[in-house]
Amino acid sequence: MSGKHVAKNQPKTFTFSSENIKKMKEILSKYPETRKKSAVMPLLYLAQKQNEGWIPLVAIQYIADQLDVPYIKVYEVATFYTMYNLAPVGKYFVQVCTTTPCAIRGSGKIIEMCKKHISEKEGHLSSDKKSSWIEVECLGACVNAPMIQINDDYYEDLDADSAEKIFKSFKDDNLPKFGSQKGRKGSEPIKQRLTLLKN
Amino acid sequence: MPKVKVDGIEIEVENGISVLQACEIAGKEIPRFCYHERLSIAGNCRMCLVEMEKSPKPVASCAMPVSEGQVIYTNTEMVKKAREGVMEFLLINHPLDCPICDQGGECDLQDQSVKYGGGTSRYELNKRSVKEKYMGPLIKTQMNRCIHCTRCIRFAEEVAGVPELGSINRGENMEITTYLEKTLDSELSANVIDLCPVGALTSKPYAFEARPWELTKTETIDVMDAVGSNIRVDTKGWEVKRILPRVNEDINEEWISDKTRYACDGLLINRIDRPYIKKDGKLIECSWDEAFLKIKEEVSKTANVGGLVGGMVDLETIFALKDLLIKISGSASIDFRQKDFYIDPSHLSNNLFNTSIAGIDESDLILLVGANPRLEATIINSRIRKNFINKNTEIFTIGDPGDQTYKIISLGDNLKVLKDIENNNSIFSEKIKTSQKPIIVIGESVLNSKQGRFVLETSKSILKKNNSLSGLNILHQSASSVGAIMLQAYTNTNEVLKNEILYLIGADEINIDTKNKFIIYQGTHGSKNAKIADVILPGAAYTEKNGLYVNLEGRVQSAFKASFPPGNAKEDWKILRALSDVLNKPLKFNTIEQLRSKMFEFNPALQRIDQLPSIDVNTLEVENVEVIDSKVNYLPIDYYHSNEIAKSSKTMLECKIARQSLQKTGTEN
């Protein structure tokens, strides 16, 4: 993912909140003491959750210290997986699927909208610092392509207009309801009959 | 023992080896990039693909273990196509900059693409470009050339014990880097340059200096520490351009320390290339005759001449100096110890690394007493680490030597712990009872006149109880120490210093009171003691003469002349021989062969070149000594500046500065 980069402005310190320390202990308890480095992925995810969606370098060092592994080993994992963000993401973090089914159904237009309404460059904050976007591989909602993920929610059945509407709504925090933007439930047919029983 | 068939040749091989090794046993060459005998298997370059019967796809031979009845082909059309394919992929992002690449001529990628490559590329897109990484003053990086074999990562993690290298990002964006681009904090770091199969990691000090085919290669040994690492010295004209390791399984395997490799630029700087005489407090250039006549004049006044030899002096020179001193004053007032250093020469084993370096691999319990092997003998530390990694051996220490790249368990820093161990009052006493091959490594820091005897005798007593006296190991720091002991070049340093005339050969560490003394300095570099000398005689460095050295195991090794001494400088024994004529006390040898045969007459053990000494360590006698209640005081070690050659080296200075700044910022935050 070309949008992935390490932030220049890094916080000086990082520790888990007391609540997350509890969670960390729970995660660590799943692994034998000698294999505790296996917990690196859930801990990175925990750090990302705590730090507004991205992992600072100090958090990488903090986790490495917790797991007694060299910094570079945690850094390798954090840079390898696309779902760890190493630079700040917006309050609304848009992930645009551009894999084949979405691409056929017009995800290119959604990317254009992202560039227009969020930021010209992938992985960088918008001018109001409220949102950012990246391209991702298949998010598994091909039946309702094209689609995007905003934070934890899927917005499906998009086109340029509905995408623009969503991106514009970031300003006053009034997002449309997630799910299909054409109003269908799940991936039910829009016009035809919904079950074999009804006509 | 499984039987396998390689290209129709049936061979029986050891269990547990890989198909690649089996092919090699059968005499077939398998191309490879990521596979390395001394590193773990990664299997990521795919260059070693071979065809195996009953396998629909080619298999990566480095990662495939042999099993009974395998039929392997290394020369079929499928293998050829597979290699061409892999090669084409490897070259997709590899720049075609061989003409300006330092690896050119000794590059695995270059050689193998000639032999196994398809010859053309079908790739039409742009090649990727990768930012160069900072890895310290020794390693130059051009990461565009990297093929991601991960040898360097595995070396840093497994052998050097500094897991600071890693691969970040993925797929086409993968890059090799140190964490936030820090200097590699290891004394073995430059070995990644040899390991790198392409020109991604090359030598910074050697950058654009020479092509490998222009260099004259001389196989010799190193004298930067007492290990006696086997090296190859590459020279162009007079200049030593670089030093590379030579494989010797018994000593350095195929690694050398950064000091061994890079102190060589000190051979070009600050050299004494002509004799000097001090006139009115000033050193003035002179001829050999003038210098010798001045010495003759002084020697005619008094016969009290003392000799001190430094840490990098060969056996021939020590022997010739000793002979000359006997001729002048009847007895040899000579010593090699430039500090408070306890030795017990009654039995040679008291002064040796008796386990032998290769023997460390078999040990199952290690105790360091006042030893810091990481800095005192880096190669030995890598062996200890290898043992620790392979066998998870427990390593104890008395005194705190700092980070040794493996886990060490402290027994405190008071030497009386040794007595506790002897009296079964320590956790170590329990461990040693069940141990088959315990070893004790004693550092020079505790071998002083106060603590040395206690440490040595108690260690022997501990080992003797366990019937494993061969575990007694003295960790010498200088290449000349064991040789000097074998030539009996020791009396008492303080007594030697009382002589009116002092003959120093490369003795740079000791502080000398020059009052009412006539000092002759014979050496290679304008050191502290050269400056106080009344006569300076220019000698030859270790790459400029044939000489014998004894390493800390007691193994005699030959160093060979790779270059020649600068200016008017001469080989050291020849200077002594010529001087003896001027003094009318001619030494009875004219060639190095005659000198050596005299020396071998004196100590026949020195004839056993490249072999371990044949002495029975079990004949060591153990004395009872009083308990000493004192702490281990480590002598300060300036690793990158430990001798005159290293002190003159620009590269070593850069390493020292890089290390200092690394310690200042700290790696933790």
Side-chain angles (χ1 to χ4, degrees):
Chain A
M1 296 287 104
S2 57
K4 189 152 179 161
H5 67 280
V6 179
K8 286 216 173 71
N9 291 329
Q10 292 279 347
K12 291 268 182 292
T13 55
F14 178 90
T15 45
F16 277 143
S17 62
S18 55
E19 188 189 340
N20 280 346
I21 283 180
K22 238 180 262 167
K23 279 189 190 161
M24 176 177 77
K25 281 183 183 152
E26 200 184 307
I27 292 165
L28 285 174
S29 69
K30 292 177 189 167
Y31 305 97
E33 179 63 26
T34 49
R35 297 274 187 277
K36 68 176 174 184
K37 64 182 172 190
S38 302
V40 62
M41 291 190 66
L43 290 190
L44 279 170
Y45 185 66
L46 203 60
Q48 176 159 310
K49 275 262 160 194
Q50 180 179 320
N51 194 57
E52 296 166 344
W54 70 287
I55 305 169
L57 289 175
V58 274
I60 288 176
Q61 293 168 9
Y62 177 75
I63 291 168
D65 289 340
Q66 299 298 320
L67 301 176
D68 294 331
V69 292
Y71 299 156
I72 186 79
K73 295 290 158 200
V74 183
Y75 191 61
E76 277 179 335
V77 174
T79 54
F80 183 89
Y81 290 99
T82 52
M83 287 167 79
Y84 295 124
N85 303 310
L86 300 178
V89 296
K91 181 181 172 193
Y92 299 107
F93 178 49
V94 181
Q95 300 178 60
V96 187
C97 173
T98 54
T99 309
T100 320
C102 284
I104 293 169
R105 300 277 297 145
S107 64
K109 282 183 186 147
I110 298 172
I111 297 286
E112 274 168 34
M113 285 299 144
C114 286
K115 288 185 178 167
K116 191 172 159 194
H117 292 285
I118 301 177
S119 73
E120 187 57 36
K121 268 165 106 186
E122 186 188 1
H124 286 75
L125 287 174
S126 60
S127 51
D128 62 358
K129 307 217 179 255
K130 222 165 177 185
S131 53
S132 64
W133 68 278
I134 58 165
E135 267 186 53
V136 294
E137 298 304 330
C138 185
L139 290 171
C142 313
V143 280
N144 292 3
M147 58 80 64
I148 60 174
Q149 183 183 350
I150 300 176
N151 297 344
D152 292 337
D153 298 326
Y154 277 16
Y155 289 78
E156 297 153 355
D157 287 336
L158 298 171
D159 52 30
D161 292 340
S162 54
E164 188 172 23
K165 200 177 128 203
I166 296 170
F167 299 155
K168 277 184 174 169
S169 70
F170 291 160
K171 214 192 308 179
D172 35 324
D173 298 310
N174 185 21
L175 267 69
K177 193 177 179 304
F178 57 82
S180 170
Q181 300 302 303
K182 281 183 183 161
R184 59 174 165 167
K185 188 182 170 197
S187 51
E188 284 171 347
I190 295 176
K191 285 172 191 161
Q192 290 100 330
R193 58 184 190 174
L194 299 177
T195 64
L196 288 171
L197 297 172
K198 289 177 188 170
N199 269 317
Chain B
M1 301 251 286
K3 275 193 190 117
V4 294
K5 219 170 176 181
V6 181
D7 291 347
I9 306 166
E10 196 159 305
I11 49 165
E12 202 174 328
V13 294
E14 256 176 73
N15 230 332
I17 68 167
S18 64
V19 170
L20 189 148
Q21 286 167 312
C23 292
E24 286 201 325
I25 291 168
K28 302 290 166 189
E29 191 184 72
I30 306 289
R32 86 287 301 266
F33 294 110
C34 72
Y35 175 79
H36 193 275
E37 295 85 352
R38 286 172 225 279
L39 303 175
S40 63
I41 290 162
N44 54 10
C45 76
R46 317 307 290 179
M47 195 61 202
C48 63
L49 294 174
V50 293
E51 188 177 344
M52 186 188 286
E53 230 167 56
K54 288 178 196 150
S55 162
K57 295 191 287 179
V59 296
S61 61
C62 70
M64 170 70 77
V66 283
S67 61
E68 184 62 44
Q70 277 171 340
V71 182
I72 295 147
Y73 299 100
T74 68
N75 53 7
T76 59
E77 192 55 30
M78 183 199 208
V79 176
K80 185 172 174 284
K81 274 186 83 176
R83 286 173 182 167
E84 277 174 14
V86 169
M87 205 70 214
E88 197 174 352
F89 269 116
L90 285 174
L91 290 173
I92 275 182
N93 278 315
H94 191 83
L96 293 172
D97 62 352
C98 301
I100 54 146
C101 174
D102 258 334
Q103 193 84 354
E106 48 185 7
C107 174
D108 289 355
L109 190 68
Q110 208 176 32
D111 296 348
Q112 292 183 26
S113 68
V114 169
K115 195 161 178 193
Y116 304 106
T120 52
S121 171
R122 290 173 288 174
Y123 190 68
E124 286 171 357
L125 304 175
N126 290 334
K127 288 173 188 271
R128 71 174 196 151
S129 85
V130 185
K131 213 183 108 218
E132 283 169 20
K133 306 286 185 292
Y134 177 77
M135 288 193 193
L138 299 178
I139 304 163
K140 185 181 171 193
T141 65
Q142 289 96 346
M143 299 318 274
N144 278 343
R145 298 175 186 152
C146 180
I147 57 165
H148 309 117
C149 68
T150 69
R151 275 188 189 178
C152 51
I153 299 178
R154 284 174 284 148
F155 174 82
E157 189 172 327
E158 292 160 18
V159 180
V162 284
E164 289 166 12
L165 277 172
S167 58
I168 59 164
N169 301 329
R170 66 196 267 186
E172 206 202 354
N173 300 312
M174 181 172 165
E175 293 178 17
I176 306 287
T177 183
T178 52
Y179 183 70
L180 305 183
E181 303 198 18
K182 288 216 166 74
T183 309
L184 220 49
D185 185 17
S186 167
E187 290 77 25
L188 288 165
S189 64
N191 286 302
V192 297
I193 297 166
D194 293 341
L195 284 173
C196 186
V198 297
L201 307 177
T202 52
S203 171
K204 223 179 225 177
Y206 172 71
F208 309 128
E209 286 282 338
R211 284 297 191 189
W213 56 85
E214 301 172 318
L215 299 166
T216 312
K217 294 146 186 115
T218 312
E219 300 201 332
T220 178
I221 60 151
D222 169 57
V223 299
M224 291 294 143
D225 52 29
V227 176
S229 298
N230 286 216
I231 54 170
R232 195 186 88 194
V233 176
D234 286 5
T235 48
K236 192 178 171 191
W238 172 66
E239 275 185 51
V240 174
K241 284 288 181 193
R242 62 171 179 180
I243 288 176
L244 294 175
R246 199 150 55 88
V247 177
N248 186 333
E249 295 296 340
D250 293 330
I251 300 174
N252 54 323
E253 295 175 285
E254 60 177 276
W255 320 123
I256 52 173
S257 66
D258 291 352
K259 188 161 57 181
T260 302
R261 190 185 296 262
Y262 283 120
C264 62
D265 63 341
L267 291 168
L268 312 175
I269 304 165
N270 199 16
R271 289 298 297 267
I272 303 171
D273 59 355
R274 64 200 72 179
Y276 288 85
I277 286 186
K278 192 169 261 174
K279 276 183 191 152
D280 309 324
K282 262 190 180 169
L283 284 163
I284 295 168
E285 289 168 22
C286 67
S287 68
W288 278 104
D289 290 340
E290 286 173 73
F292 282 168
L293 287 173
K294 177 77 182 164
I295 295 170
K296 188 182 181 184
E297 187 191 320
E298 292 295 326
V299 173
S300 65
K301 289 182 204 158
T302 170
N304 291 337
V305 186
L308 276 174
V309 291
M312 297 190 292
V313 180
D314 54 324
L315 292 180
E316 287 86 348
T317 310
I318 301 174
F319 184 74
L321 176 66
K322 197 181 159 199
D323 227 12
L324 181 66
L325 293 179
I326 293 172
K327 289 242 155 98
I328 294 171
S329 42
S331 67
S333 174
I334 184 171
D335 213 311
F336 69 95
R337 291 168 290 182
Q338 298 182 62
K339 59 184 173 201
D340 180 15
F341 189 4
Y342 172 82
I343 57 167
D344 178 1
S346 61
H347 192 299
L348 186 60
S349 288
N350 280 330
N351 305 291
L352 295 183
F353 201 90
N354 292 300
T355 309
S356 82
I357 297 171
I360 296 172
D361 294 349
E362 284 147 34
S363 167
D364 53 2
L365 184 67
I366 298 171
L367 173 64
L368 308 174
V369 185
N372 181 355
R374 180 169 178 182
L375 299 184
E376 291 170 12
T378 310
I379 295 300
I380 287 187
N381 203 46
S382 77
R383 283 272 185 168
I384 298 177
R385 180 176 158 80
K386 186 175 157 198
N387 183 315
F388 172 77
I389 295 291
N390 290 345
K391 295 165 74 179
N392 209 4
T393 305
E394 283 182 298
I395 298 155
F396 291 85
T397 177
I398 300 178
D400 174 21
D403 182 16
Q404 295 293 313
T405 71
Y406 40 77
K407 197 176 122 203
I408 45 176
I409 306 161
S410 176
L411 295 171
D413 63 352
N414 197 316
L415 286 171
K416 70 179 180 193
V417 175
L418 274 174
K419 200 75 192 172
D420 294 341
I421 295 171
E422 196 189 4
N423 295 337
N424 291 332
N425 284 333
S426 164
I427 42 166
F428 190 80
S429 330
E430 296 304 313
K431 301 270 179 198
I432 201 168
K433 270 179 203 156
T434 52
S435 160
Q436 299 301 311
K437 284 190 174 160
I439 63 176
I440 298 183
V441 180
I442 303 170
E444 284 187 10
S445 295
V446 289
L447 288 173
N448 49 40
S449 51
K450 199 174 134 213
Q451 301 168 322
R453 185 152 178 267
F454 166 73
V455 172
L456 187 65
E457 298 301 331
T458 322
S459 302
K460 279 195 282 185
S461 155
I462 293 167
L463 289 165
K464 191 160 192 174
K465 266 197 205 165
N466 195 53
N467 213 6
S468 52
L469 261 175
S470 64
L472 178 74
N473 294 306
I474 309 295
L475 198 66
H476 282 283
Q477 289 177 26
S478 308
S480 67
S481 297
V482 178
I485 292 169
M486 287 174 85
L487 288 173
Q488 294 175 14
Y490 47 81
T491 44
N492 183 324
T493 308
N494 291 331
E495 292 298 318
V496 172
L497 288 175
K498 282 180 190 156
N499 288 299
E500 279 125 11
I501 302 176
L502 281 181
Y503 202 122
L504 311 178
I505 300 191
D508 304 310
E509 312 301 325
I510 196 162
N511 292 319
I512 292 169
D513 180 14
T514 54
K515 214 173 154 192
N516 298 329
K517 276 198 170 61
F518 183 77
I519 294 167
I520 306 160
Y521 181 87
Q522 177 177 331
T524 55
H525 285 76
S527 68
K528 172 184 86 185
N529 284 349
K531 285 174 188 128
I532 59 162
D534 295 288
V535 173
I536 297 179
L537 305 173
Y542 69 110
T543 54
E544 294 155 6
K545 60 187 171 190
N546 293 326
L548 297 176
Y549 289 90
V550 188
N551 82 346
L552 45 65
E553 303 168 283
R555 192 191 298 267
V556 187
Q557 297 192 101
S558 300
F560 292 98
K561 188 171 179 161
S563 167
F564 41 87
N568 287 336
K570 297 268 185 295
E571 290 176 35
D572 294 271
W573 74 268
K574 286 184 182 165
I575 298 173
L576 291 159
R577 176 68 186 82
L579 178 62
S580 72
D581 270 347
V582 177
L583 299 177
N584 291 326
K585 305 196 190 292
L587 296 173
K588 289 201 174 103
F589 42 79
N590 293 317
T591 62
I592 195 158
E593 287 77 23
Q594 288 171 3
L595 193 169
R596 281 188 186 165
S597 66
K598 288 259 174 213
M599 194 163 71
F600 295 155
E601 244 170 66
F602 180 80
N603 188 345
L606 294 171
Q607 294 178 63
R608 299 168 50 87
I609 289 179
D610 289 338
Q611 295 172 53
L612 283 176
S614 64
I615 35 169
D616 188 3
V617 68
N618 290 315
T619 54
L620 268 178
E621 306 220 340
V622 180
E623 290 170 50
N624 247 326
V625 283
E626 260 179 58
V627 186
I628 282 179
D629 185 354
S630 68
K631 284 186 176 171
V632 176
N633 276 325
Y634 284 93
L635 300 173
I637 302 171
D638 194 350
Y639 177 76
Y640 291 109
H641 273 177
S642 65
N643 59 50
E644 275 314 311
I645 297 175
K647 273 179 202 164
S648 306
S649 160
K650 211 177 119 210
T651 316
M652 288 292 103
L653 180 65
E654 281 168 13
C655 286
K656 194 177 160 177
I657 293 166
R659 176 62 61 90
Q660 278 166 351
S661 66
L662 199 66
Q663 277 159 358
K664 225 179 274 168
T665 50
T667 46
E668 52 285 319
N669 205 339

